[in-house]
Amino acid sequence: MTITPPALSVFESLESEVRSYCRGWPAVFDRAQGARMTDEDGHSYLDFFAGAGSLNYGHNNPVLKRALIDYIERDGVTHGLDMATTAKRAFLETFENVILRPRDLPYKVMFPGPTGTNAVESALKLARKVKGRESVVSFTNAFHGMSLGSLAVTGNAFKRAGAGIPLVHGTPMPFDNYFDGKVPDFLWFERLLEDQGSGLNKPAAVIVETVQGEGGINVARAEWLRALQELCHRQDMLLIVDDIQMGCGRTGGFFSFEEAGIVPDIVTLSKSISGYGLPMSLCLFKGELDIWEPGEHNGTFRGNNPAFVTAAAALDAYWADGQMEKQTLARGEQVEQTLLAICAEDPTAHFRGRGLVWGLEFTDPARASAVCARAFELGMLLETSGPQSEVVKLLPPLTITPEELDEGLRTLARSVRETA
Amino acid sequence: MTITPPALSVFESLESEVRSYCRGWPAVFDRAQGARMTDEDGHSYLDFFAGAGSLNYGHNNPVLKRALIDYIERDGVTHGLDMATTAKRAFLETFENVILRPRDLPYKVMFPGPTGTNAVESALKLARKVKGRESVVSFTNAFHGMSLGSLAVTGNAFKRAGAGIPLVHGTPMPFDNYFDGKVPDFLWFERLLEDQGSGLNKPAAVIVETVQGEGGINVARAEWLRALQELCHRQDMLLIVDDIQMGCGRTGGFFSFEEAGIVPDIVTLSKSISGYGLPMSLCLFKGELDIWEPGEHNGTFRGNNPAFVTAAAALDAYWADGQMEKQTLARGEQVEQTLLAICAEDPTAHFRGRGLVWGLEFTDPARASAVCARAFELGMLLETSGPQSEVVKLLPPLTITPEELDEGLRTLARSVRETA
Amino acid sequence: MTITPPALSVFESLESEVRSYCRGWPAVFDRAQGARMTDEDGHSYLDFFAGAGSLNYGHNNPVLKRALIDYIERDGVTHGLDMATTAKRAFLETFENVILRPRDLPYKVMFPGPTGTNAVESALKLARKVKGRESVVSFTNAFHGMSLGSLAVTGNAFKRAGAGIPLVHGTPMPFDNYFDGKVPDFLWFERLLEDQGSGLNKPAAVIVETVQGEGGINVARAEWLRALQELCHRQDMLLIVDDIQMGCGRTGGFFSFEEAGIVPDIVTLSKSISGYGLPMSLCLFKGELDIWEPGEHNGTFRGNNPAFVTAAAALDAYWADGQMEKQTLARGEQVEQTLLAICAEDPTAHFRGRGLVWGLEFTDPARASAVCARAFELGMLLETSGPQSEVVKLLPPLTITPEELDEGLRTLARSVRETA
Amino acid sequence: MTITPPALSVFESLESEVRSYCRGWPAVFDRAQGARMTDEDGHSYLDFFAGAGSLNYGHNNPVLKRALIDYIERDGVTHGLDMATTAKRAFLETFENVILRPRDLPYKVMFPGPTGTNAVESALKLARKVKGRESVVSFTNAFHGMSLGSLAVTGNAFKRAGAGIPLVHGTPMPFDNYFDGKVPDFLWFERLLEDQGSGLNKPAAVIVETVQGEGGINVARAEWLRALQELCHRQDMLLIVDDIQMGCGRTGGFFSFEEAGIVPDIVTLSKSISGYGLPMSLCLFKGELDIWEPGEHNGTFRGNNPAFVTAAAALDAYWADGQMEKQTLARGEQVEQTLLAICAEDPTAHFRGRGLVWGLEFTDPARASAVCARAFELGMLLETSGPQSEVVKLLPPLTITPEELDEGLRTLARSVRETA
């Protein structure tokens, strides 16, 4: 495939230097369907990126699209703040019936501003309010967002430097396997908590991703998560699972923490919750934590009703039974087989993952970028993650067909070979 | 009109106590068109609230709706992060041609996460990065958002308390007319800046709304804004205008600061920028301030392409000539006449405003809520603002017809009378 | 008088660049008695500086010296932390009998580390603990010390910059007469407190000097102090008077706030409390505020027993009756007469003061330094203060004789004339 | 020995509840000489506490006492701020000749306020200023002082809570042997520094005690200190050794870090530096770090000249040759033998130490307090340390005679036995 350099002029002249994805993927995208995006020159790209986890059901999923257009056509409320609307009620009822009740989850639902970072901000506020303490523990290589509250519990030094103020009230602890199993889990964290002379400000809460997406596809083991929940209970800290990237079925079950059998005190959801890539986010918390005053946390777009419509449609279509979970796990095995083969061939490569999120790490960090660049030339969207961008991140839509998945994995293998 | 108490059960049982608007307006809304919303029982409400300023062109504006449905129908990219897309290009070109160039504004455009608070967070980050200082000056009764960076420059004590940590790095200064003209403008602020012993941490920037919406419809005079710009230049501070609620034509011109003839260093836009109530926000800044590194501030939904489509359509439809501005000023005069009459009749009422944003303040704060409650019974949506909710806030769609406006003003007058 | 440049070698080669007084007064001092210091070459200097207020009773006051030597000779406890000692008991009893009881002051006595800044740190800690709030209000041009807690409520920008971290949790308010009487007292402060939308974090306490020494000899009027106390009571804030420089009789009465008839909640004392220039400090507070846990604030030198001995001797010798106060006020009048004459002659000079603390401000800041430099050549120690070092500060020992005072004032007048 | 309950009335009625030592040692002390204190009833106590390390040369050491009285008698300057004085010059020259030059230490000398916490505050300020970063790493169970800067790097949760504000800009790391040797030294610290995604704010400096006194007599191994210095060099962080309690010969050499062969970038000294228990402190730093501006950090009592006199006399008397060091090490062996015997007898006791600082830890924390209480009844002063006060701390004067030391150790052994 030959790619003509696209006309990027207005992006270059008018848009801020802060733009990033458009630099690695020099194309002007126009349309998208399922696992494919098409640029204005008609080139098609197989999407193993899925809106950084926002498009678990693929681009412009036809089931959701129908519901969305119907809603717009009939002049359903678009912008509703937190007024009661029929679309919101439908979503709430579906969420309760399809997601919460079958899993026996005791959560109240809050609609913060419709972005992940806003969900995290509301979770942190609530945890601090409930416990009356400022400090929150996060983990090495965590990513929780760009607004100041979320950024303070995010690991990346480059992003943190952007704050322009010292980021405080957060303390990092080692994520699972940070020392390759050579140090007992939570040894440091627990000792700090128990030692009255440790100097750790007692945390209100711990915030964790079950699989760190931006941090390099670091997968926490189920027993580690259980031990963390245990520690939180013992030490009177709230457990917040940030399921923004890994929730909505990415790892198999609807929530990524289901497999571990834990019940976090607070859960944040965003990205794929609307199903269609529309901005939406949720903050879930146990009923007894719902000590918010009316309007204490608000936001203009917290009632993005078109997103409620697609969200409800997605839950109905994909989560009424266990099919989605099974399919994701099956697809995951398909990915794992390919990664096994790639790593067998290339000893500088290592992989890890769960469900349909996988990372292929290279000893030489530059290699990961080279693989993604080559994949783009071959018509495939792949991004890197990890503190040194040393990991190729595989995040295809959950609805990808086995054939598309196979095609993508072959392109990946070829890109790895051709950059060796 | 008789209103049957709506079935709110799932809202009450499942949604968090944090919900607010649904408490004052106990109806379940279903459809909306122009200046009217309709609940599921078929009751119609005249909307003098307009999504807190997000619906300047009315609900489900037909021109934008057509463009939106067309885009969705043809599988245009929905979720694009900051990839280049044809929809984004169209928006950028339109924004440049219709808004920036005719006003000779030297701005680069940044797409933060699609909410107002995210635009403010990015503005504050950039200002701190450019100046290498932490402190930012805001004004009494300012409202800039709920995430920690924005909240630290927001005045409301109740909202601030929600942070759960001490909010620092911000210092409030008196907004225009805070002392009823009895103290020279900027006397305190300037003295603090000039006195090396004042104890004020030198600010990187000043953030201001030209009209404070949430703060009680406090209108800054053009000369005050010019003097503020002057002070910022003299003291090497960046001037940030938060035009999230007052921009997009609310006060007449597209930007609310045009009338004063100032050119802020940084401008935030959100709410009505998409035109359709879809989440979108912009951070504009002078080219020389564009020192962002690629990806230094990011966000999953910063490329909400359907919003780009409706935004471009709105600019094309309403801002290609000066009609919109003229009409808004004319409608504003219509409002002013009514408010004059109301206040003539009721000496406990005072009003202020500009363009199509007006506030009617009552000596007894409870009265404002009573007026809004009565208006709701009479089929009209009106909310209060101000630190004690003492101001009835009039924020109809800019596209409201003279007849609808008249109807609403009559309902307002009646509500005032009937709550006296 | 001719002064040979002293051999400063070890000071220059070994002592840090942070040293300051030795730069303005290039002499190596050896002995001191009363209001005079003598350098190693035998030159004598009349001291109108008095250890920055630490030597109200003059250098090596013979009454205190006798008590001190006796104590050392008999091996009295020197270093006692907060063990009970006979020297401490004697001081406490004297302080109670001579100072607290006659003034009907309801204070408990705390011995923090023996420096002013430590007393301020303990005062701020206690206020925050009592009120459960972080914020403290200070005043423009305040000086409270160099450790981080005290520095955050100090005005000087140069000193603040030394912190190396952003100084937060403090907000400056205008000191008395900051706007030359053109703005009503506390207009801004009170409005911020009453306005729930002001953005001011509710303060735990207000910390104030009745006369700002380092800030430029700014004298608060008694009615201003009373109004401040009133405001504190009304708004549930503690009033802390930092009497470190102005207490111990500097303004006439033992406490500088006596004249205003107020009773602060917390008072800090240091500098002249030991009487002999020995490190010692006190934090006084109303009994009901004494919620300290044992050892919650401590410090190695909080029991500097030789200082207790001289402190008790000073109280006995000078405060058993009202003589000291009368004499200080009389001496103050003598100073005032001279300053009146100086300012009558030189229209660029202005003065202010109270008791035996006076400031002579020059329109041209450099002039104040020139006056002090000339005075030094003429055998007199005088330092500047104020944010631009624009004020010549007169702070002679309270025990200075009328003749010495007259001599010093003549030297001052001459220095002013000769630098015109 | 029978002890009559002393008359504590004024302490109880007037002194703040914050007092602590006087509670454990209910006596009113009057005189002191060498290793003995005497209360007002004539009871004598053998002092194994030595002013918490401020009395290394014993109480009222006759050599220093002579110099002190001579100085006072001849009206030497008492209070000098940072004026040049003959006493200060003598101290500086002695310090250079006796301490710095023989050890080839490249330090400039700063005189902060005369307390340990002030020395630490100045060290932290300087480190932050030099590196332009806010964060400082401290260690578990560190103790550095009570003012806000020092308290933020202190471990004790009870003391930290006294701050009344969240203590930030500090991060604790595990002190040597925190995990009983089961985790490689600096594994966590180094990994956080190297991982760009760790979330650790890059530290300006590391502050460490070679032996943690308040923290429980935790002794860092020489190789651990060397590795720490190595890590600091590699990672561009300054190494601050807080030698306030362990310096001045407590561990043998004048500086406690000499044994490890390291040269810290910054060193704080206080407590025994004056030799006589008089308030004094020093901050030492490498010449190239001396970027202070004149007066950037100051303090009223930074020129406590009587302390300079006794300090110079102590250096002359005790450090002109290696005798003191040898004697301390010999005395230390005497202590170690006894502790070996005690622990052989009581399996719940463990000991550690170096030079003349030793800790005897009990499995049951209450036991340590019981031992100290019994020792007091037997006429001996001993205090506890450690986060749970679980360690009996042995800190006799370095000048204690072998007989006194033996007497004390016998009393200790008896107290241990009698509390079993």
Side-chain angles (χ1 to χ4, degrees), chain A residues 62-82:
Chain A
V63 180
L64 315 188
K65 176 175 167 177
R66 194 63 267 142
L68 176 61
I69 290 181
D70 286 353
Y71 188 74
I72 299 172
E73 288 282 18
R74 76 167 186 81
D75 283 335
V77 170
T78 296
H79 181 279
L81 288 134
D82 63 358

Side-chain angles (χ1 to χ4, degrees), chain A residues 7-8 10-11 13-23 25 27-33 37 40 49 51-52 54-55 59-60 65 68-69 71-79 81-86 88-89 92-93 96 100 107-111 114-115 117-118 121 125 128 133-134 143 146-149 151 158-159 162-166 169 270-271 276-280 285 290 292-298 300-302 304 306, chain B residues 7-8 10-11 13-23 25 27-33 37 40 49 51-52 54-55 59-60 65 68-69 71-79 81-86 88-89 92-93 96 100 107-111 114-115 117-118 121 125 128 133-134 143 146-149 151 158-159 162-166 169 270-271 276-280 285 290 292-298 300-302 304 306:
Chain A
L8 281 171
V10 77
F11 300 110
S13 64
L14 191 59
E15 197 179 350
S16 164
E17 293 300 323
V18 81
R19 68 196 189 278
S20 58
Y21 283 107
C22 57
R23 296 170 191 267
W25 296 331
V28 179
F29 296 96
D30 184 52
R31 280 158 300 124
Q33 228 306 309
M37 299 189 78
E40 60 181 348
F49 163 66
S54 300
L55 296 163
H59 291 272
N60 299 326
K65 176 175 167 177
L68 176 61
I69 290 181
Y71 188 74
I72 299 172
E73 288 282 18
R74 76 167 186 81
D75 283 335
V77 170
T78 296
H79 181 279
L81 288 134
D82 63 358
M83 291 186 257
T85 63
T86 49
K88 190 193 219 180
R89 182 165 58 201
L92 282 171
E93 287 174 352
E96 185 167 35
L100 296 181
Y107 294 139
K108 295 289 285 287
V109 177
M110 173 186 183
F111 298 92
T115 65
T117 196
N118 208 307
E121 294 269 344
K125 278 187 183 179
R128 285 168 167 145
R133 305 179 207 128
E134 297 88 8
F143 183 93
M146 288 293 104
S147 50
L148 288 189
L151 192 52
F158 163 65
K159 306 272 189 206
I165 58 164
H169 305 306
S270 184
K271 293 202 183 257
Y276 205 76
L278 300 176
M280 177 172 168
F285 32 82
D290 191 14
W292 287 113
E293 295 290 323
E296 195 172 0
H297 183 92
N298 60 19
T300 292
F301 294 115
R302 64 195 184 279
N304 186 18
Chain B
L8 281 172
V10 78
F11 300 110
S13 65
L14 190 59
E15 198 179 350
S16 164
E17 293 300 323
V18 82
R19 68 194 189 281
S20 57
Y21 283 108
C22 57
R23 297 171 189 266
W25 297 331
V28 179
F29 296 96
D30 185 51
R31 281 158 299 124
Q33 228 306 309
M37 299 189 78
E40 60 180 350
F49 164 65
S54 301
L55 296 164
H59 291 271
N60 299 327
K65 176 174 168 178
L68 177 60
I69 290 181
Y71 188 75
I72 298 172
E73 289 282 17
R74 75 169 186 82
D75 283 338
V77 170
T78 296
H79 181 279
L81 288 134
D82 63 359
M83 290 185 257
T85 63
T86 48
K88 190 194 220 179
R89 183 165 55 201
L92 281 170
E93 286 174 353
E96 186 168 35
L100 296 181
Y107 295 139
K108 297 289 285 288
V109 177
M110 173 185 183
F111 297 92
T115 63
T117 196
N118 208 307
E121 294 268 345
K125 277 188 184 181
R128 285 166 168 146
R133 304 179 208 128
E134 295 88 8
F143 183 94
M146 289 293 104
S147 50
L148 287 189
L151 191 53
F158 163 64
K159 306 272 189 206
I165 58 166
H169 305 305
S270 184
K271 292 202 184 255
Y276 207 76
L278 300 175
M280 176 174 170
F285 33 80
D290 190 15
W292 286 113
E293 295 290 322
E296 196 172 358
H297 183 92
N298 59 19
T300 292
F301 295 114
R302 66 195 183 279
N304 185 18

